Every structure is written in structure tokens, then in C-alpha cells.
Amino acid sequence: MKINKYNSLVIALLFGFGLTGQAQTKKWTLEECVRYALENNITVKLSELDVKNAEIDKRGALGNYLPSVNGNASHSWNIGLNQDVTTGILRNQTTQYSSIGLNAGVDIYKGLQNQNTMRKAKLSIIASHYQLLKMQEDISLNVASAFLQILSNKEDLKVKKEQLAIDEKRYTRSEEMVNAGTIPRGDLLDLKATVATDKQNIAVSENNLLISKLSLAQLLQLKEFADFDVVDDTKVADENNILAQTPIEIYNKAKETRTELKLAQTNLEIAEKNVSIAKGAYQPTLSGFYGFNTRASYSDQVKLDASGNPYTVGPDPIFQQFSDNKGHNFGLQLNVPIFNGFSVKNNVERNKVSLEKSKIDLEQKSLDLQRNVYTAFTDARGALNTYESSTVTLEARQQAYNYAKEKYDVGLMNSFDFTQAQTLLTNAQSDVIRTKYDYMFKIKILEFYFGIPIVPIITK
């Protein structure tokens, strides 16, 4: 049987976490899910490539400081009336020439554009790292939400199955009571409908659980998820006592740690460098240049004797010609911008507009963070109150159900009223499950703003 890469990975994980075989399915913890997603999620990988691009741009900025050196060589044939390169005499002939050259140039002064480009490249690397970190944080929150949704659907399915088991027992007992003539047959039909409804609810819950597993598996980039499952960690606790903090304390901590603010501040500094680079085009530029060239001819040459009469001789040795004909040129070149159709001015103004937008973006990010922190704090406290209230409601519904069951068992309550009490109990159980995981996730969000990650993110 051929083993693909995914199967190999699963086998390695099973041994790595000490899980034995016997058809046992690995159950993922929240930390394992987050770490795996950070290593394999596509959006994270794209952000990592952006970091590499920024590093390449930095090397390009460094190259602006270095001289440019280019070599050239050519070989040509000239047929017909040509001027002899030595005597200047026009002759009908076929000639061949080879030439070799080398040119070098270096910027001496360029309006500090090279320096500002290098500073911008360094800031771009920092910004790309912040962007990667923000993507990792977003993925972590999405994984936590999907993980908790699976746990919520698991508990909901468990409640539905327990309810079905209870109703099936009631249905069997009611059949005996109908046969004995103790209760009317209509009560049995009501229970039959209730059992059928329970089975429908289980089918819906199973489908919801499968979809939630699929969602998390996609975040983790798992290609096979049929046996994917997570650890049943249903503990509800504010372990870091985050609700003991005040909103202003959480906001002040968030201003120091939140990645989106750091990213906005870095983008502002990049915009400032872009303005400086654009202004550099107003200034003169000074560059140095050097050139070397030599040539050789493969044709007979016409020379003049002492009397001024021309005579033909064969070509000199090639390397001797290259040595005799070599030449150098070097110097400085100054360019002073005088008028360029407002292109420099427009570019400066355009970058100033981008700078103002970056300032507004930073201010907006700060306002958004303040609003998000206060909203998250209010949501978390409200979720706790709702969870506690639903727990109290469940206890009351459980007692009411027990009382109704006692009355039903002795014939003092009909089947319809007892089913109503049972439905209210089931709804209360579902509310506890929903509010519990809603509270758990909102605590995670509040911790996130306070600088407590779901798992520590290790930057590469």
C-alpha cells in the first residue's frame, strides 16, 4: 500500500505524542491546532514570502551604494567602401574589427535618495514582520473560535443523544402501559413523534459537528479530515483573572503590545521616507564614470613610406593591436534639475498625501483599538453573566422536569405537559452550552488584547 505524505505525518504525530495504535484516532489540543496552523496555513505562508521580498528590496537598496560595472565586446564585418581606421583613406575592401570595452559608474551625491531608500527598506522589513505577526494572531483567534465551536457542537450532540435515550425508554415503558390499559394510546403516539424529532435533532447536530470539524481542518490545511477530532477540554475558567483588570488598564497594555498599532506606526515612518526620497529629486546629482576601450583589425593595413607613398602590409598581431589601441576616459558628471514638467513636484505632493493618510490611519487604528477593547471587556463580562444566568435557569428547569416526571409517572400529568417540561429542559441545556463557549471565546479575545497569546508565537 502506498503511504502518502499526510499519512506519514499522522504516524509521526501519533508516536511523537505517545499515542498507541489499535485504531485510536489522534485528538488535537488547542495548542497543537494553533501551532500546526501557523506552520501550514496558506495566508501565513504568503505573509512569510512578503518578508522575503522585503529582505530582497533591502539588498537592492544596498546595491545603490555600489558602483555599476559593465563590460562589452563586439566583432564586425564591413564590406565595400570603408575608411581605413589607421590612415583614414577610403577603400573598397572587406574589413573585420574587434573591440573590447569596460565602463564603470558610481553615484557620489544623489540628494540623499540612496540613504533614505536604505532606511525605507529597513522599515519595510519591520513592517512585513509585523504584518506576518498580525496574520499569525488572526489565524490563532480563528483556530480558537473553530476549536471551541467543535466542543460546543460535541456537547450539543451529547445532550441530544441523552435525550433520545430517555425518550426511547419512555416510549418502551409507555407501550407496556398502553397494553395494560393504564394510559391512552394517544400518549404513546405523542412519544413516538417526540422520538422521531429527537432523531432529526441528532442528525442536524451530527451535521453541524462535521461542518465545524471541516472548518478547523481547512484552517490547519489538513487534506484528510474524516477522522479529525479534538480533545474534549470543557473547562470554563478565567485563568488569568483578566476580568479583574479595568478596561483602561487593558487598553493601555494593548497600546504597547498590539501589532496593528506597531504596523501603522511603521507604515507612517515609511511614508515619511518616501517624502524624503521624492524631495531628493530636487537636488543636483553628481556621479563619477570611468571607461576603457581597445580594438583590433584583422585586415591588411595601408601605411605610408618616408616619401608619403602608401603601401600595404599585413595586420599586426591581435594582442599587440589591443595593447597599442587601448584608451581610457574618466570624469565627473553633474546633473542639475531645472524644469521637468512638474513631475518631481507632483511626486512630492503625492507622497505628502500618502503621509497624511498614514497619520490618519494610525489615529484611526488607535481609536478602533480603544473601541474594540471596551467592547471586548463588556462582551466578556456580559457573556459571564449570561452563562451564570443560564446555569441557574438549567438548575431550575431540571428541578421542574424532575417534579413533572414524578407527576407523570403516577398519572397526575398528561404526556403533552410532560413533553413541554422536557423541551424546556433541553432548551436550557442548549443555552448553557452556547453561553459557556461564547464566554470562553470572549475571554480569549480579552486576553488577546491584554497581550496574552493563545500560544506563544515564535518569529523566524
Side-chain angles (χ1 to χ4, degrees), residues 201 242 304 406:
N201 292 336
I242 192 67
L304 301 177
E406 292 175 359

Side-chain angles (χ1 to χ4, degrees), residues 5 10 25 133 157 244 250 252 258 350 380 435:
K5 293 182 179 178
V10 172
T25 302
L133 181 58
L157 178 60
I250 298 174
N252 289 335
R258 289 306 308 135
R350 190 178 298 109
T435 57

Side-chain angles (χ1 to χ4, degrees), residues 101-257:
L102 181 70
N103 297 294
V106 62
D107 290 330
I108 300 174
Y109 181 75
K110 200 178 179 182
L112 301 179
Q113 287 181 312
N114 291 342
Q115 291 86 337
N116 287 319
T117 299
M118 173 58 75
R119 297 186 185 107
K120 174 190 171 182
K122 291 179 179 179
L123 289 171
S124 295
I125 291 178
I126 296 173
S128 63
H129 278 289
Y130 283 145
Q131 185 63 50
L132 172 60
L133 181 58
K134 184 178 184 303
M135 185 61 64
Q136 291 173 329
E137 291 170 344
D138 291 344
I139 290 296
S140 298
L141 273 182
N142 290 338
V143 169
S145 177
F147 186 92
L148 294 176
Q149 186 62 53
I150 292 177
L151 296 184
S152 177
N153 291 337
K154 274 189 171 185
E155 285 202 38
D156 182 68
L157 178 60
K158 181 180 178 182
V159 169
K160 296 293 194 301
K161 287 183 175 180
E162 290 175 351
Q163 190 60 54
L164 174 62
I166 293 172
D167 289 338
E168 285 179 335
K169 289 181 180 179
R170 284 178 55 211
Y171 180 78
T172 301
R173 184 170 176 273
S174 295
E175 275 188 319
E176 297 173 353
M177 296 175 70
V178 167
N179 293 333
T182 306
I183 62 173
R185 191 167 189 83
D187 288 354
L188 180 62
L189 296 176
D190 286 339
L191 278 174
K192 185 176 181 180
T194 300
V195 170
T197 301
D198 289 343
K199 291 180 179 179
Q200 291 177 359
N201 292 336
I202 287 176
V204 172
S205 295
E206 287 176 339
N207 187 57
N208 291 337
L209 178 58
L210 178 61
I211 292 174
S212 61
K213 287 182 178 181
L214 171 60
S215 298
L216 182 54
Q218 288 179 331
L219 279 174
L220 271 57
Q221 303 301 139
L222 294 178
K223 295 181 180 179
E224 299 180 13
F225 56 90
D227 297 327
F228 176 75
D229 203 358
V230 300
V231 173
D232 299 332
D233 183 6
T234 58
K235 178 174 60 177
V236 180
D238 182 5
E239 297 178 348
N240 296 295
N241 201 23
I242 192 67
L243 287 176
Q245 306 289 333
T246 64
I248 189 63
E249 289 173 336
I250 298 174
Y251 172 63
N252 289 335
K253 184 66 178 294
K255 286 194 297 183
E256 299 174 0
T257 60

